[in-house]
């Protein structure tokens, strides 16, 4: 068990849950296969001259509970298997937080850092054309993921709308506010991570004000989680990006670091004293450590918020955090899970911890349907209510005492909900 294939990892997580879930074995086996995956070839004329051919995917995993829903990722390490695993995780996540959605995911193999804005726009439009027969406001609704953002969603919405002949805001979520986005979407995943971390502390009867936190990845999710937890009184002692990690046992100056990163700065520049758009506070003395070192810091909470498969059988023994809140998708391999579970390290699983993004995507989609927009307070209150009750249900399932960990509790709830939907709907034809 335990390998680098995220799809195998997801199947192993399902298998662990099957023994505890009240699900017919036939239905369970059906859930191990995505409904379909479209692979598209994307020739794009680059600004630098010449044509480069990219490859992209859209996987629609399961739609028993409603339209497919899931982000689009731009990354050099995208593979079909990874997209399919992420689509599976979206399916369980939407069911766990009780949204009327199935699960999907998209990805394009590319290195966005090597592409200009024009290149990214052309690539996005070509990809949208490639998958437009699958997506739609009532069928499959994409959203941002790694290296995609509201601008990417605007290009997708525009391309889709051009073919339809009228504006279809509801075809994607995570749009800019001006074209049907919702207040609160950009920060939503990080806000959800912060809410479940606070709930976990309440459950463990610990004080978040005394807690030390390490956040791997200071991107969209990690930076908002770090800022909100910093505001809530926790001490953020380390955070990172691809260039490495900044560490200060007395706590980082999160607002200053945030301003530096918002201005395009890197972590290695921050630790070297080369700050962008910010000035260092006197007490702020971070040292540069590696991403691997960050995972092994002696902290109360570790929040992996970058890529999958970072906590493995190889390093699980050296992870010293008391709790892990999985902001990234699939950061812990099954083999690592077993090691950590035996050591009673509480892991809030990804399908719960990072569900804030899809919850607020759903709220955006609902507002688009209503052709009405809600204020930020309403969106944030609804996010807190929904992720809070999914947290409570997961804890309640775990406290019944038979399931070994929170991940299995969460999977059990999600799989039972999806299986019920399959049973009611029956098998076509
Ligand atoms: P992002 O691109 O904004 O940020 C990613 C961060 O991780 C950046 O700081 C980047 O430098 C760093 N990083 C990238 N590769 C790394 C590596 N190999 N080692 C260490 N750091 C690395 O992405 P994001 O939107 O914040 O997403 C982060 C994770 O959260 C992903 O797993 C994504 O699937 C998951 N997620 C995102 C959302 C969302 O709403 N954005 C929702 C649910 C889950």
């Amino acid at each position: 068990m335990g390998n680098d294939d995220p799809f195998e990892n997801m199947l192993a997580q399902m298998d662990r849950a099957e023994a505890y879930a009240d699900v017919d074995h036939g239905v369970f086996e059906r859930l191990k296969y995505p409904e379909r995956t479209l692979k598209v070839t994307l020739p794009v004329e680059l600004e630098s001259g010449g044509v480069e051919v990219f490859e992209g995917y859209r996987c629609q995993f399961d739609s028993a509970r409603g339209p497919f829903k899931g982000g689009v990722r731009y990354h050099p390490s995208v593979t079909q298997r990874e997209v399919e695993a992420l689509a599976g995780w979206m399916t369980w996540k939407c069911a766990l937080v009780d949204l009327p959605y199935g699960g999907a995911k998209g990805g394009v193999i590319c290195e966005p850092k090597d592409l200009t804005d024009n290149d990214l726009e052309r690539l996005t439009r070509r990809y949208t054309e490639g998958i437009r027969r699958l997506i739609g406001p009532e069928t499959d609704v994409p959203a941002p993921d790694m290296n995609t953002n509201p601008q990417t969603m605007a290009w997708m919405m525009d391309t889709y709308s051009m073919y339809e002949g009228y504006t279809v805001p509801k075809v994607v979520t995570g749009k800019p506010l001006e074209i049907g986005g919702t207040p609160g979407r950009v920060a939503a995943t990080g806000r959800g991570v912060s809410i479940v971390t606070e709930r976990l502390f309440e459950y463990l009867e610990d004080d978040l004000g005394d807690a030390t936190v390490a956040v791997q990845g200071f991107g969209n999710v990690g930076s908002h989680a770090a800022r909100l937890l910093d505001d809530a009184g926790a001490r953020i002692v380390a955070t990172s990006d691809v260039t490495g990690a900044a560490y200060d046992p007395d706590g980082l100056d999160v607002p200053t670091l945030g301003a530096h990163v918002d201005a395009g700065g890197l972590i290695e520049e921050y630790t070297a004293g080369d700050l962008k758009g910010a000035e260092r506070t006197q007490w702020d003395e971070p040292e540069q450590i590696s991403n691997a070192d960050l995972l092994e810091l002696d902290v109360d909470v570790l929040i992996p918020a970058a890529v999958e498969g970072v906590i493995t059988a190889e390093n699980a023994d050296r992870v010293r955090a008391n709790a892990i809140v999985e902001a990234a998708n699939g950061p812990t391999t099954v083999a690592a899970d077993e090691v950590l579970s035996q050591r009673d390290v509480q892991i809030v699983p990804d399908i719960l911890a990072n569900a804030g993004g899809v919850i607020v995507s759903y709220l955006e989609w609902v507002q688009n349907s209503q052709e009405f927009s809600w204020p930020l307070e309403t969106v944030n209150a609804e996010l807190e209510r929904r992720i809070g009750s999914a947290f409570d249900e997961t804890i309640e399932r775990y406290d019944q005492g038979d399931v070994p960990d929170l991940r299995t509790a969460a999977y059990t709830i999600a799989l039972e909900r999806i299986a019920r939907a399959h049973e009611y709907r029956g098998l076509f034809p």
Side-chain angles (χ1 to χ4, degrees), residues 55-89:
E55 197 167 289
Y57 307 95
R58 182 73 184 169
C59 171
Q60 299 183 326
F61 200 93
D62 185 88
S63 61
R65 289 172 47 86
F68 297 102
K69 185 86 189 82
V72 174
R73 170 178 291 200
Y74 289 176
H75 201 276
S77 68
V78 163
T79 63
Q80 182 172 338
R81 291 284 276 186
E82 181 193 63
V83 170
E84 288 173 344
L86 289 162
W89 281 319

Side-chain angles (χ1 to χ4, degrees), residues 91 208 353 358 378 402:
T91 312
L208 189 63
V358 72
T378 309
D402 58 334

Side-chain angles (χ1 to χ4, degrees), residues 211-215 235-239 246-252 297-299:
T212 52
V213 183
V215 182
R235 186 155 31 115
I236 312 298
V237 296
T239 192
Y247 171 56
D248 184 344
D250 296 326
L252 296 167
L297 289 174
D298 188 5
V299 287

Side-chain angles (χ1 to χ4, degrees), residues 73 93 145-147 185 189 216-221 240-242 291 305-307 327-329 354:
R73 170 178 291 200
K93 188 183 306 181
D145 190 66
M146 277 180 78
N147 295 321
R185 173 61 184 88
T189 308
Q216 186 186 45
F218 199 75
N220 175 293
V221 179
S240 70
D241 65 11
V242 272
N291 264 293
V307 285
N329 285 306
N354 69 31

Side-chain angles (χ1 to χ4, degrees), residues 157-158 160-162 164-171 179 371:
M157 188 273 250
D158 185 72
Y160 185 86
S161 298
M162 286 298 130
E164 293 301 300
Y166 64 102
T167 300
V168 192
K170 235 180 124 176
V171 69
I179 52 170
E371 297 179 2

Side-chain angles (χ1 to χ4, degrees), residues 102-340:
K105 202 80 181 189
V108 177
I109 308 170
C110 65
E111 177 49 271
K113 285 198 289 294
D114 298 342
L115 299 171
T116 66
D117 281 354
N118 272 337
D119 296 340
L120 284 169
E121 177 173 352
R122 281 170 176 250
L123 176 62
T124 302
R125 289 187 182 281
R126 187 69 198 222
Y127 172 66
T128 309
E129 196 292 316
I131 64 165
R132 86 186 157 85
R133 292 157 197 84
L134 283 194
I135 63 172
E138 311 299 338
T139 49
D140 181 355
V141 185
D145 190 66
M146 277 180 78
N147 295 321
T148 57
N149 55 34
Q151 175 62 75
T152 324
M153 294 306 109
W155 291 326
M156 289 191 80
M157 188 273 250
D158 185 72
T159 306
Y160 185 86
S161 298
M162 286 298 130
Y163 282 101
E164 293 301 300
Y166 64 102
T167 300
V168 192
K170 235 180 124 176
V171 69
V172 289
T173 57
K175 298 179 290 293
L177 272 179
E178 292 78 357
I179 52 170
T182 181
R185 173 61 184 88
V186 175
T189 308
R191 183 173 292 277
V193 170
S194 156
I195 293 168
V196 297
T197 307
E198 290 184 47
R199 296 279 178 127
L200 179 69
F201 271 74
E202 277 168 35
Y203 172 67
L204 297 173
E205 295 177 359
D206 274 342
D207 183 3
L208 189 63
D210 294 333
T212 52
V213 183
V215 182
Q216 186 186 45
F218 199 75
N220 175 293
V221 179
S223 67
H224 285 104
R227 285 179 228 232
L228 289 162
L229 287 167
D230 185 52
D231 289 348
R235 186 155 31 115
I236 312 298
V237 296
T239 192
S240 70
D241 65 11
V242 272
T243 68
Y247 171 56
D248 184 344
D250 296 326
L252 296 167
D253 177 356
V254 178
T256 304
L257 177 57
H260 166 77
V261 172
D262 286 348
L266 300 170
I267 295 286
E268 66 179 7
E269 293 168 341
Y270 190 80
T271 50
D274 176 14
L275 268 63
K276 299 205 164 42
E279 275 188 36
R280 171 152 291 155
T281 331
Q282 265 181 352
W283 53 265
D284 187 31
E285 293 177 335
E287 69 174 284
Q288 175 90 13
I289 61 170
S290 69
N291 264 293
D293 292 340
L294 177 146
L295 297 171
E296 297 172 17
L297 289 174
D298 188 5
V299 287
D300 296 304
V301 187
L302 173 63
I303 302 183
V307 285
E308 60 256 18
V310 292
I311 303 171
T312 63
E314 199 277 314
N315 65 1
D317 271 334
R318 298 192 299 275
V319 169
R320 285 181 285 168
N322 299 326
I324 297 173
V325 178
E326 294 185 335
N329 285 306
T332 314
T333 66
V334 173
D337 235 353
E338 275 168 16
V339 175
L340 294 165

